Amino acid sequence: MALSRVCWARSAVWGSAVTPGHFFTRRLQLGRSGLAWGAPRSSKLHLSPKADVKNLMSYVVTKTKAINGKYHRFLGRHFPRFYVLYTIFMKGLQMLWADAKKARRIKTNMWKHNIKFHQLPYREMEHLRQIQRGTHPAIHDILALRECFSNHPLGVNQLQALHVKALSRAMLLTSYLPPPLLRHRLKTRTTVIHQLDKALAKLGIGQLTAQEVKSACYLRGLNSTHIGEDRCRTWLGEWLQISCSLKETELSLLLHNVVLLSTNYLGTRR
């Protein structure tokens, strides 16, 4: 009697057509299907290490551009006259670096393929002609700028991200790192070079071998591959005069000297 009541109650809840075995089978099928659905879902959420790094770098670049934009707007709003000078200087420095880099690439190609100047295409020939018309900055001209590089905005700690990346390339360092890390590497490299300059000034450039002179120029940003030894020694002497005149707070000028002192060097030294 009690058994019949239990069966009747079960039939009332699940329906007469539903049997306990059928209900258990459906629960098992749902459980299996849930497991089957779960596997692809987890694989879609997983990211590869390369994708993680790429997304991180994209995020850093986006944030850096946003910060640079705010920084430019701040200067333009609060220091309009200084901002004009700053913008002109930065654009001029970038153009100077781009022209020097292109001229170096043309000269390297000429040397590799034994091409004469008159055999170059018109645009490359004209580019070299314009570069060679420039003047090589004198030591006193560079040292006159030392105060501009000791504090904001051209001090090492105040340089913008794009500026830091350009200087990293000029110093033959990778630029594909976050700006804070690039800034730290530039400061470390510049400090080491400044210390080496003081030691070299005591020793004397005349004590260096030809290979040591070439290596010293290369470390300081001058591609000495196609430059004679005498010219390398002259350039290194100019570098030492500037470096040994700078204080630690003015080392940003030494860092920029990689570009300033190398400008038009080959075009004006005969």
Side-chain angles (χ1 to χ4, degrees), residues 136-146 238 241-242 253 261:
H136 182 69
I139 296 176
H140 66 272
D141 293 331
I142 295 178
L143 288 176
L145 304 173
R146 57 197 305 171
E238 294 180 357
Q241 291 184 51
I242 296 173
L253 177 57
L261 195 61

Side-chain angles (χ1 to χ4, degrees), residues 88-129:
I88 293 175
F89 174 81
M90 289 301 301
K91 289 184 178 179
L93 187 64
Q94 292 174 359
M95 293 174 62
L96 182 64
W97 169 246
D99 288 342
K101 187 176 181 181
K102 182 177 180 180
R104 180 183 300 178
R105 184 172 64 251
I106 295 173
K107 286 181 175 292
T108 301
N109 187 60
M110 292 173 62
W111 178 80
K112 286 183 177 180
H113 299 90
N114 195 24
I115 300 175
K116 304 299 181 182
F117 177 78
H118 66 275
Q119 297 175 323
L120 291 172
Y122 170 76
R123 287 190 174 88
E124 293 184 356
M125 192 183 299
E126 180 64 15
H127 184 79
L128 290 183
R129 185 190 68 82

Side-chain angles (χ1 to χ4, degrees), residues 172-184:
L172 307 176
L173 298 172
T174 179
S175 59
Y176 301 103
L177 293 173
L181 184 56
L182 291 178
R183 193 188 313 277
H184 175 73

